[in-house]
Every structure is written in C-alpha cells, then in structure tokens.
Amino acid sequence: MLAPKFAASRSFHQELKRRTNAYFAEAGKSTTGGKTLFFKAVLLTAAFVAVYLHLVFWTPSAWVGVAESALLGLIGAAIGFNVMHDGAHGSFSKKKWMNQFAAFTLNVMGGNSFMWNAKHNLIHHMYTNVEGVDDDLDAQPWLRLSPEQPRRKLHRFQHLYFWFFYALLFIAWIFFMDYQKYFKGKIGEMPIKKMTASDQGVFWGFKALHLGLFVALPIYTVGFLGWLVGFLTFMAVAGFTLSIVFQLAHTVEHTSFVVPHETTRKIEDEWAIHQIKTTANFATDNKVISWLVGGLNFQVEHHLFPNISHVHYPALNKILRQMCEEFNIEYNEYPKMRYAVASHVAHLRELGRA
C-alpha cells in the first residue's frame, strides 16, 4: 500500500512552530519532562512494584487480592501514559538512554517498544484517523470505529458491549497482536522496517521475562486459580483504561475520518491541520485527570508536538487555541471527561446504525 501524502505545509504550521519555539526560549525551559516527570515516574514505579510484591509474595485475602489486582492495572496504565509514552517519544529526558529506559517499561509489562514505535509513533501519529492506514481504527469485526468500515448486524449494539472488548485490549495486544506484527512484518497493510538482532533479542527476551514475572512466578506462589483471577483483573482494568483514554482522543462525534484519494493517495489538508481535525481534547482544566493520564487529555497538543513532554501541554494549549481562532480552524475539546465518554458512545451508536 502506498502511504498517503499530505498537502504542502502552509503558514499555519510554520507560525505554530515559531510561537512554540519562542515560548520555550523566553521561558528558558527544556522541552523534556525534567525533575517533575522523573519524580512522577519514580512514584508510579515504586507503587507498582509494592503492589506487585504484596500480591505475589504476601498473598492477601481473595477480595483484597482482586482489589489490589485492579489497582495494579490502574497503576500500570498510568505508567504507560506518563513514563513509557514520553520515553517512547523521546520527551521524557534529554538523555537518550533514559528515554529508552522509560520506553522499556512497556517491554516489562509484556508489550514491545519496537512494535509500539512503528504502530504508534510512525503510523498513528502521521496518519491519524486515515481509514485503511491508522491501525488504531482496526477493531474489526467486533467494532466499527470509522464510517468507511463495513457495518455488521452486531454493530447495532456496539455502544453497549464496547467496554468488554476494551477490557480485552491489553491481553490481546501482548499475547496476539505483537506476534502478528512480528511474523507478518506489517502493521495492517503498512510494512515495518526489518528488526535487527538486538531488536529480536529484546522482543523475545522481554516476552519471556513477562511470562516469568506475571504468569509463572505468581502461579508458583499463589496457585493457578488465584493467579488467573488476579491476572485477568489486572489485564482487564489496564486494557480498559488504556483503551478509553486513547479512544476519547479520536473516535468521538466531532473528529474527522479521512479517506485518501483513491489514485493519488493525497489528503487535502496539511499535516498539522489534519491532526487538529482528527483529534479531540477532554477535561483539560482537571489537574487530577491530567496528572493520571500523562497529559493525554491534551491530545491535540500531543499530536502536534509529540516530541515535547506532556508537562508543557497546558502552556501549548493556550498558544494553539489562540492560533486556531486566528486561522478560523475548529478546535475539538470536551470540557468534562464524561462529555467525551458520552460523545464516544454516541459515535459508536451512530456507526452501528448508519
């Protein structure tokens, strides 16, 4: 498949970069996370390790174990949002090795940073909501997320059952999707670069480590049934949390879904404007949500500045909103998270019926 092509950059993106660079120069700030993000990373990682150790080696009672497994899922998702995500984008630190270290938290959790980079950084961030290219839209046959996808009878009820498949995301990701991409050498129809010997070693080595830490060892210490209940709870909570946060950014009522020209593969908008049209923010005034989801409620800013740490998104939000007003570009934002969830459900309902 030929990759789509965007219209040439015009004055909007150039002016946006100029104002953003001026902000960092005047404020005397680095674009990376700094001490604030480092402290958050240490706090979240310590919490995850503490809960994991208590579950595996101190074996709490059944109900406490389920509650702690759910908590472990929430903390794991928070590490993904705050630590892994910034590290994978190179915005966690000025030091390359520290960014790689942060990104490798995904590998410990069972995913693979190489596949994530190809799927998320290279494809999703470039071709957001482009049908047939953006793999984040592909949940077929169970869910219809884009108007261009075929509609099936079961989609009439997808706004009711979507939560179940979102809860399956993480377990499907680490036990199926990564291997599918590995053996096919493609993400959807887009080929990925060949893995080096080092990439191969990381892939298989960390997959084995994950099985040891999250499957074999817990079975040995708490027994098969206790492990199964705790593991499924952990994976379901992490999967649903990861899914809903990312879905609120793109699959809501007011975002665009783009189909490139059939023969030329061209997209009408320049890349920056395309990102604004296909992305939405939510609850940007809620500091608790912003802290927990690693600024991914500022998804528009993230898509335009993926190499800038999320700790700077509130400041960039002001610059971007001002520019959108000047250039008469619609800016998608839901003031409350519940409004974004309602819009996502309405989007699923509409696609299930239309």
Side-chain angles (χ1 to χ4, degrees), residues 6-283:
F6 294 96
S9 292
R10 304 187 183 99
S11 57
F12 177 82
H13 197 199
Q14 296 170 3
E15 177 62 15
L16 179 61
K17 289 190 291 185
R18 188 194 69 78
R19 294 188 192 185
T20 302
N21 292 335
Y23 162 76
F24 282 105
E26 292 170 8
K29 295 181 178 180
S30 168
T31 58
T32 56
K35 294 180 181 179
T36 301
L37 183 53
F38 182 78
F39 173 77
K40 185 194 285 192
V42 171
L43 180 65
L44 289 172
T45 303
F48 186 89
V49 171
V51 176
Y52 170 86
L53 291 175
H54 190 256
L55 276 168
V56 174
F57 294 106
W58 277 269
T59 316
S61 63
W63 289 111
V64 173
V66 170
E68 287 191 0
S69 297
L71 178 61
L72 194 69
L74 290 173
I75 300 172
I79 290 174
F81 295 141
N82 290 276
V83 183
M84 184 283 291
H85 195 245
D86 272 37
H89 280 292
S91 63
F92 184 88
S93 170
K94 294 179 181 179
K95 298 178 180 178
K96 184 178 180 180
W97 70 267
M98 191 171 286
N99 285 319
Q100 292 176 333
F101 190 80
F104 266 45
T105 56
L106 173 61
N107 296 351
V108 177
M109 297 280 191
N112 180 256
S113 52
F114 179 93
M115 295 301 176
W116 171 266
N117 180 66
K119 169 187 168 64
H120 182 77
N121 295 5
L122 301 181
I123 297 178
H124 170 68
H125 266 269
M126 178 60 71
Y127 306 112
T128 310
N129 276 16
V130 177
E131 176 56 38
V133 182
D134 185 359
D135 189 60
D136 282 9
L137 294 176
D138 186 12
Q140 292 286 322
W142 313 110
L143 295 168
R144 185 183 188 225
L145 300 177
S146 164
E148 297 303 315
Q149 294 172 347
R151 185 173 66 87
R152 295 175 169 83
K153 290 183 179 180
L154 77 164
H155 293 154
R156 290 183 58 193
F157 308 102
Q158 66 176 2
H159 63 289
L160 300 175
Y161 66 68
F162 72 92
W163 60 270
F164 173 75
F165 287 100
Y166 288 3
L168 292 179
L169 166 78
F170 198 32
I171 198 166
W173 175 359
I174 65 176
F175 289 115
F176 175 71
M177 296 178 191
D178 274 350
Y179 293 104
Q180 182 185 51
K181 294 174 177 62
Y182 178 90
F183 289 110
K184 287 178 61 179
K186 293 181 179 180
I187 295 178
E189 296 302 319
M190 298 292 288
I192 57 178
K193 71 175 184 178
K194 187 176 181 179
M195 300 176 77
T196 65
S198 175
D199 295 328
Q200 299 269 2
V202 168
F203 184 92
W204 291 108
F206 276 93
K207 288 293 186 183
L209 176 65
H210 174 264
L211 289 175
L213 290 175
F214 292 93
V215 180
L217 180 59
I219 290 176
Y220 176 77
T221 59
V222 306
F224 180 80
L225 183 59
W227 162 79
L228 183 63
V229 173
F231 183 72
L232 291 179
T233 300
F234 162 59
M235 298 297 281
V237 171
F240 181 81
T241 305
L242 291 166
S243 294
I244 197 65
V245 169
F246 282 108
Q247 293 290 17
L248 297 185
H250 304 293
T251 52
V252 288
E253 294 172 290
H254 301 96
T255 53
S256 299
F257 295 84
V258 180
V259 179
H261 189 278
E262 187 175 352
T263 55
T264 66
R265 301 294 292 166
K266 287 185 177 180
I267 293 173
E268 292 183 1
D269 291 312
E270 64 168 295
W271 176 83
I273 294 177
H274 171 85
Q275 296 303 319
I276 295 172
K277 288 183 176 181
T278 56
T279 310
N281 287 356
F282 63 90

Side-chain angles (χ1 to χ4, degrees), residues 313-328:
Y313 291 165
L316 299 184
N317 176 266
K318 296 176 182 178
I319 297 172
L320 181 56
R321 290 181 71 90
Q322 177 63 36
M323 281 203 57
C324 285
E325 289 182 13
E326 293 176 15
F327 283 76
N328 196 30

